Amino acid sequence: MLRSFSRANTKPEFLLQSKPRPSGGAITISLFSSAVAQNQASLTPITSTLLQKCNSLAQAKLIHQQLLVQGLYQDFTTRLVSAYLTHNAPSHSISILERLTPSTSVVFCWNTIIRRSLRLGFSHDVLSLFRRMLRLHCPPDHYTFPFVLKACGELPSFRSGAAVHAVVSTTGFDSNVFVCNALVAMYARCGELDDARQMFEEMHDKGICDIVSWNSIVAAYTQSRDAKNAVELFRIMMNDSEIHPDIVSLVNVLPACGSLGASLHGMQLHAFALRRGLFEDVFVGNALMDMYAKCRMIEQANKVFESMEVKDVVSWNAMVTGYSQAGRFEEALGLFEKMREEKIELDVVTWSAVIAGYAQKGHGYEALGVFRQMQLCGSKPNVVTLVSVLSGCASIAALLQGKETHCYAIKCVLNYDWNDPGEDLMVINGLIDMYAKCKSTNVARLMFDSVAPSDRNVVTWTVMIGGYAQHGEANDALKLFSEMLQEGNSMKPNTFTICCALMACAHLAALRFGKQIHAYILRNRYESVMLFMENCLIDMYSKSGDIHAARVVFDNMQHRNSVSWTSLLTGYGMHGYGEEAIKVLDDMRAAGFVPDGITFLVLLYVCSHSGMVDQGIRFFESMHTEYSVTPELDHFACMVDLLGRAGRFGQALELVHSMPMEPTAIVWIALLSGCRIHGNVELGEYAAAQLQELGSENDGSYTLLSNIYANARRWRDVARVRSLMKYSGVKKRPGCSWVQGTKGTATFYVGDRSHPQFEQIYKLLADLIQRIKAIGFVPETNCALHDVDDEEKGDLLFEHSEKLALAYGILVSTPGVPIHITKNLRVCSDCHNAFTYISMIIDNEIILRDSSRFHHFKSGSCSCRGYW
């Protein structure tokens, strides 16, 4: 090593070579050899200058060598450490420090190295340096601990943080306010809110709390989404005469007020900021805007925005996001365009807010267009952007674009070691939701299964269950919901999960499962969100055949909204209880609710299924005259259905021709359905021709026309319609009925013999038909839509799926217990007639739900009163 120093001294020519335009640093270095010849007193300032002027690691090493040779090393260790750090050589700095006796200046140097690693994001290195410092018996000071504790929080590593806390206690810094504040922040960032609060309380008891301490604990609660405790602590801080809230205090607590919807607290803080002159700070203004926006006080947020003298991009983003979340997308888009006009740099938050706004409004193509613009502008999407884009794809069932977004996520976001696992899961949840809503539930399920059970959160379960429930795979939805609640799975469903499960129960008319979910809700106390779930319970009970239970839920609600009233009205309409529905409407008006377009749609549906033709006409006429509600396409379709069911075809056709918009398939199908009921072949053919012009490929319209021809015994036309269906590739849905038994739900198709008890089912059904024939039942052979003799038609009618389901229900049900049957198509008139007679000879009420409505058969009568 000494030889290397000697070689460096004997060959200084490379430093002394003249340069055409030497820099100041080079001149200084060139003076080094002359400084060596002078005494030490004159050498000190030159060496100091040399260390400051050296502009490379090689020069720093050369000076280091000369300091060792001249015996000046001890006087310049701190400057030498700094020089090595300046040239990104921390290992050389550490090598120097390890050979020095601990002192205040040495601790300062360690702190400098630790702070550098922290600033560069090397949190593990910070802990390693701290451990090395302790091994060298170099005592940390009140600057060291905050750096190290911040690194523990950024990892986050509760175990390391607790170990550092132990060192703090043993070294006597547990009463130092700076160190204690760092401990509060560390515990909070590690998610240990209880430990953070305990640390704060200990500081408070010692009387060492300052404004930073209060700000740290309030921020901890806000960041942990415990807004209630954050606001409460801030209130206590305001009452402490020795503590004066500052800008940071307000910025910490205002988001908590927004999360709680605590507009009163927020307005009080606004007034406080004005009194203290804190409102002029752009951070406070931004926090106020965000708070007002979250409290749905968008006008107040706009006033804050307009009054701000200085606005940054965050200010504009707060308003764009606020308008978007409030559903006022036109204003959000206007601000977005204004930002572009004023050349304000758009960041990822701006783009994401606009994309999310389009997605929420169901404008998926527009959301994708903005996403493309964002990429062209060079702005890199974040997780929120991708989730919003996926939501836009889901809203328009854009599977191809959804797959493209999936590919982008794989390449740019997912599966990186440095990623936050929570953010990865957000994207995966968005992908599951997108695939499910694009009807690719198999792919969605593969995505769901790819997430380890321990890594799934409640959103993961909810989007998969909801995807199944919303797209006709209700059995899979309920099966998955059951798995979620299995022992060993600590995941608790949220409001949306439960509502998705109730939706699946409603689709299947799974009353027993629905009751179990209702019991789960009551046991687990979801009081804060009961309104939403109670509305779903009303819908579930109504669609599962227990309208009385739906009314009990409604009557016991503490709060009701328009959805509550509409759900009950719909339930009464489905069950044909028109008079009860009208009473509910009167009660709704008395409670101060004004009927809107949806309410009138439900009322027209109620009248259509209850035979209340004149009342329905009055409702339709009063929509515009009394309530200023403009009838839309669905209202006209309901009116055509109402008039068609009553056989008033002249009025129905006149209404169709007077519509202010072009009739769509739903209108002509409603008219075609009325023609089937009343056997109006000519008008039925006209409606079918209109459907064909519209390109409707619905199997129901073909079936209705085929039924009209079959009832008129026009078998050639029946064959023509079936041939047309085959040529067009339209397949008729097979009739399917299911019934709830003691061991679950049993499903039957026409002529089904797959059930283990099929022999007993057919034997019981044959006996029932014989018994009801003895009391007057005559099979309606015109319901058998085949050109065969009446005896063979009777055999075909005997095997209908709803009859098989009823026979099985009688086999497994206790006398007196209602039998619940669901059919995917409209029940045929022969089965309807047979059920009416069978209800006279059994002790069970038969509750049949078909694709149109409910039928309650009891003691020889049906709730539809023959109007169906």
Side-chain angles (χ1 to χ4, degrees):
M1 182 175 179
L2 291 175
R3 284 196 298 271
S4 67
F5 286 146
S6 176
R7 284 196 298 272
N9 284 326
T10 56
K11 296 184 179 180
E13 288 81 10
F14 78 97
L15 293 174
L16 302 175
Q17 289 174 356
S18 62
K19 301 285 183 179
R21 299 179 64 87
S23 64
I27 292 172
T28 304
I29 296 296
S30 68
L31 296 173
F32 185 78
S33 59
S34 61
V36 172
Q38 299 177 20
N39 59 36
Q40 184 173 331
S42 62
L43 182 64
T44 301
I46 296 176
T47 306
S48 176
T49 304
L50 284 171
L51 284 169
Q52 293 172 8
K53 294 286 186 178
C54 70
N55 51 21
S56 69
L57 180 59
Q59 291 177 359
K61 287 181 177 179
L62 179 61
I63 294 169
H64 188 175
Q65 291 171 346
Q66 293 301 324
L67 286 171
L68 289 169
V69 169
Q70 297 173 30
L72 304 175
Y73 177 72
Q74 293 293 334
D75 297 329
F76 296 98
T77 52
T78 303
R79 292 190 182 94
L80 195 56
V81 168
S82 298
Y84 277 129
L85 288 177
T86 300
H87 297 294
N88 293 318
S91 59
H92 292 75
S93 298
I94 294 168
S95 180
I96 293 170
L97 290 174
E98 286 180 331
R99 290 167 172 78
L100 296 177
T101 304
S103 65
T104 303
S105 59
V106 171
V107 172
F108 173 82
C109 291
W110 278 107
N111 289 345
T112 304
I113 296 172
I114 288 171
R115 181 174 57 185
R116 173 186 177 276
S117 295
L118 182 64
R119 178 172 50 81
L120 295 174
F122 303 144
S123 299
H124 285 290
D125 289 351
V126 170
L127 297 181
S128 178
L129 288 166
F130 180 68
R131 284 192 291 268
R132 189 180 296 190
M133 185 179 179
L134 293 178
R135 283 198 298 270
L136 294 168
H137 305 290
C138 186
D141 63 9
H142 60 286
Y143 292 108
T144 317
F145 288 113
F147 295 145
V148 177
L149 289 166
K150 187 176 181 181
C152 294
E154 288 184 355
L155 284 172
S157 174
F158 169 71
R159 186 175 179 180
S160 298
V164 176
H165 190 175
V167 178
V168 168
S169 299
T170 56
T171 52
F173 285 96
D174 52 348
S175 294
N176 183 282
V177 65
F178 302 110
V179 176
C180 290
N181 287 341
L183 281 165
V184 172
M186 178 275 294
Y187 282 125
R189 296 195 68 174
C190 291
E192 301 296 330
L193 204 54
D194 291 339
D195 290 302
R197 182 60 180 266
Q198 183 180 342
M199 189 67 229
F200 174 78
E201 295 295 348
E202 289 176 6
M203 292 175 66
H204 194 268
D205 292 342
K206 293 176 182 177
I208 61 171
C209 283
D210 60 5
I211 185 62
V212 177
S213 316
W214 285 95
N215 288 345
S216 297
I217 192 64
V218 171
Y221 277 112
T222 301
Q223 290 161 8
S224 299
R225 302 182 186 277
D226 189 348
K228 187 176 179 181
N229 271 316
V231 172
E232 178 61 22
L233 271 171
F234 185 84
R235 187 188 62 78
I236 297 170
M237 179 174 69
M238 292 278 286
N239 293 330
D240 191 329
S241 59
E242 296 182 3
I243 301 296
H244 302 289
D246 58 8
I247 290 169
V248 177
S249 311
L250 289 174
V251 172
N252 282 339
V253 76
L254 283 168
C257 294
S259 299
L260 289 175
S263 56
L264 179 60
H265 288 296
M267 293 173 76
Q268 290 171 345
L269 291 173
H270 190 174
F272 174 81
L274 289 170
R275 287 197 307 271
R276 292 292 182 88
L278 302 176
F279 179 70
E280 295 177 2
D281 186 272
V282 68
F283 296 109
V284 174
N286 292 343
L288 279 167
M289 278 192 294
D290 183 64
M291 182 274 298
Y292 280 126
K294 287 178 178 175
C295 291
R296 296 290 187 264
M297 297 175 68
I298 195 66
E299 298 300 338
Q300 194 66 33
N302 189 50
K303 287 180 182 178
V304 174
F305 180 74
E306 295 295 339
S307 64
M308 290 174 66
E309 294 183 6
V310 179
K311 302 182 183 77
D312 59 10
V313 68
V314 178
S315 315
W316 289 87
N317 288 346
M319 284 309 301
V320 172
T321 305
Y323 276 127
S324 181
Q325 291 175 346
R328 295 169 59 172
F329 191 60
E330 295 302 323
E331 288 96 329
L333 202 57
L335 274 178
F336 176 70
E337 294 300 334
K338 192 173 180 181
M339 289 177 72
R340 287 180 142 185
E341 290 170 9
E342 297 190 10
K343 307 296 183 185
I344 297 169
E345 185 178 356
L346 307 178
D347 63 9
V348 66
V349 178
T350 322
W351 291 104
S352 299
V354 176
I355 292 169
Y358 273 127
Q360 289 164 11
K361 295 281 284 185
H363 301 321
Y365 290 112
E366 289 82 354
L368 289 167
V370 175
F371 181 56
R372 292 189 191 97
Q373 292 178 41
M374 177 184 182
Q375 290 176 300
L376 290 172
C377 290
S379 184
K380 187 177 180 181
N382 62 12
V383 170
V384 176
T385 319
L386 288 179
V387 171
S388 298
V389 172
L390 289 168
S391 177
C393 295
S395 69
I396 54 172
L399 181 60
L400 178 60
Q401 290 82 354
K403 287 180 176 179
E404 290 171 351
T405 309
H406 189 176
C407 291
Y408 180 90
I410 291 171
K411 289 189 290 185
C412 302
V413 177
L414 298 174
N415 304 320
Y416 287 104
D417 292 338
W418 59 82
N419 277 6
D420 180 352
E423 292 189 349
D424 275 6
L425 188 58
M426 280 178 63
V427 176
I428 292 170
N429 291 343
L431 287 165
I432 294 170
D433 183 58
M434 180 276 295
Y435 280 116
K437 288 180 178 175
C438 291
K439 299 183 180 179
S440 292
T441 49
N442 290 337
V443 180
R445 185 57 190 258
L446 286 172
M447 294 290 299
F448 176 84
D449 290 337
S450 70
V451 182
S454 58
D455 293 336
R456 295 170 190 158
N457 61 15
V458 68
V459 179
T460 317
W461 288 93
T462 302
V463 291
M464 192 66 247
I465 292 169
Y468 279 138
Q470 291 168 10
H471 295 287
E473 299 180 50
N475 281 312
D476 291 321
L478 295 181
K479 182 180 178 182
L480 194 60
F481 183 72
S482 298
E483 288 178 20
M484 185 180 183
L485 298 180
Q486 282 177 354
E487 290 185 18
N489 191 344
S490 59
M491 189 61 62
K492 182 180 179 181
N494 63 15
T495 309
F496 298 104
T497 324
I498 291 173
C499 289
C500 289
L502 288 171
M503 186 193 307
C505 292
H507 180 78
L508 292 172
L511 182 60
R512 184 177 300 159
F513 205 125
K515 286 181 175 180
Q516 291 171 352
I517 295 175
H518 192 177
Y520 179 86
I521 293 169
L522 296 175
R523 285 197 308 271
N524 288 275
R525 299 183 175 276
Y526 283 85
E527 286 91 345
S528 60
V529 286
M530 271 309 284
L531 177 62
F532 190 35
M533 286 194 283
E534 284 169 333
N535 289 339
C536 289
L537 283 167
I538 293 170
D539 181 67
M540 182 276 295
Y541 278 122
S542 298
K543 292 179 179 176
S544 298
D546 197 341
I547 187 63
H548 303 296
R551 184 60 196 246
V552 170
V553 172
F554 179 85
D555 289 339
N556 284 282
M557 292 176 73
Q558 293 183 357
H559 304 284
R560 301 184 184 113
N561 59 12
S562 58
V563 177
S564 315
W565 292 96
T566 305
S567 298
L568 188 62
L569 277 171
T570 306
Y572 277 128
M574 290 178 68
H575 290 266
Y577 298 148
E579 294 178 1
E580 288 84 349
I582 301 302
K583 290 178 183 175
V584 170
L585 176 66
D586 293 337
D587 293 339
M588 178 181 175
R589 288 169 172 163
F593 289 91
V594 179
D596 58 10
I598 295 174
T599 312
F600 278 108
L601 189 63
V602 172
L603 288 170
L604 293 174
Y605 171 85
V606 169
C607 294
S608 178
H609 287 78
S610 303
M612 301 166 65
V613 183
D614 294 330
Q615 180 68 66
I617 293 172
R618 285 195 292 273
F619 280 135
F620 185 75
E621 291 173 347
S622 67
M623 282 179 64
H624 186 67
T625 57
E626 295 182 29
Y627 296 95
S628 301
V629 176
T630 303
E632 297 180 2
L633 182 65
D634 288 338
H635 297 101
F636 283 100
C638 266
M639 278 302 297
V640 171
D641 183 65
L642 174 76
L643 296 168
R645 286 175 184 274
R648 299 187 186 185
F649 294 114
Q651 289 175 266
L653 203 55
E654 183 182 347
L655 181 66
V656 171
H657 292 314
S658 66
M659 287 172 60
M661 70 285 290
E662 284 295 318
T664 60
I666 189 173
V667 175
W668 295 113
I669 289 174
L671 185 61
L672 189 61
S673 181
C675 293
R676 186 204 61 78
I677 294 169
H678 295 281
N680 191 327
V681 179
E682 184 180 352
L683 187 57
E685 288 179 326
Y686 173 71
Q690 297 300 316
L691 283 166
Q692 195 168 2
E693 282 187 21
L694 291 171
S696 173
E697 297 296 333
N698 186 290
D699 68 316
S701 57
Y702 287 99
T703 303
L704 285 171
L705 184 60
S706 179
N707 289 351
I708 292 171
Y709 284 137
N711 287 335
R713 295 186 177 276
R714 291 170 54 170
W715 301 113
R716 287 187 179 179
D717 289 320
V718 171
R720 179 174 58 81
V721 171
R722 288 178 176 167
S723 177
L724 183 61
M725 288 178 68
K726 186 176 181 180
Y727 176 78
S728 303
V730 178
K731 294 184 179 180
K732 182 181 180 298
R733 284 171 295 167
C736 174
S737 300
W738 56 94
V739 61
Q740 295 180 34
T742 53
K743 296 182 179 179
T745 302
T747 305
F748 297 90
Y749 292 89
V750 62
D752 199 336
R753 283 176 167 75
S754 61
H755 196 278
Q757 294 177 273
F758 82 89
E759 291 182 353
Q760 294 170 267
I761 292 168
Y762 275 84
K763 183 178 179 181
L764 176 59
L765 183 56
D767 179 61
L768 289 170
I769 297 299
Q770 286 300 115
R771 289 174 65 187
I772 61 176
K773 280 182 177 179
I775 58 176
F777 169 69
V778 178
E780 297 184 23
T781 53
N782 61 328
C783 292
L785 307 179
H786 297 274
D787 187 14
V788 295
D789 58 45
D790 285 352
E791 184 177 352
E792 190 171 347
K793 286 182 178 180
D795 292 338
L796 291 171
L797 294 172
F798 176 82
E799 295 182 341
H800 276 194
S801 63
E802 53 265 57
K803 288 192 179 81
L804 298 175
L806 175 59
Y808 175 75
I810 295 171
L811 271 177
V812 299
S813 299
T814 305
V817 176
I819 298 171
H820 292 266
I821 301 171
T822 306
K823 185 175 181 181
N824 65 331
L825 304 176
R826 187 179 182 276
V827 63
C828 78
S829 56
D830 179 73
C831 289
H832 187 278
N833 195 21
F835 278 27
T836 305
Y837 275 93
I838 291 172
S839 69
M840 297 169 65
I841 61 174
I842 63 173
D843 295 329
N844 309 77
E845 179 185 2
I846 305 167
I847 301 173
L848 170 66
R849 171 183 147 186
D850 67 7
S851 61
S852 178
R853 58 167 299 149
F854 273 92
H855 302 266
H856 294 254
F857 300 93
K858 191 173 184 179
S859 303
S861 65
C862 179
S863 60
C864 71
R865 298 187 293 275
Y867 197 90
W868 55 286

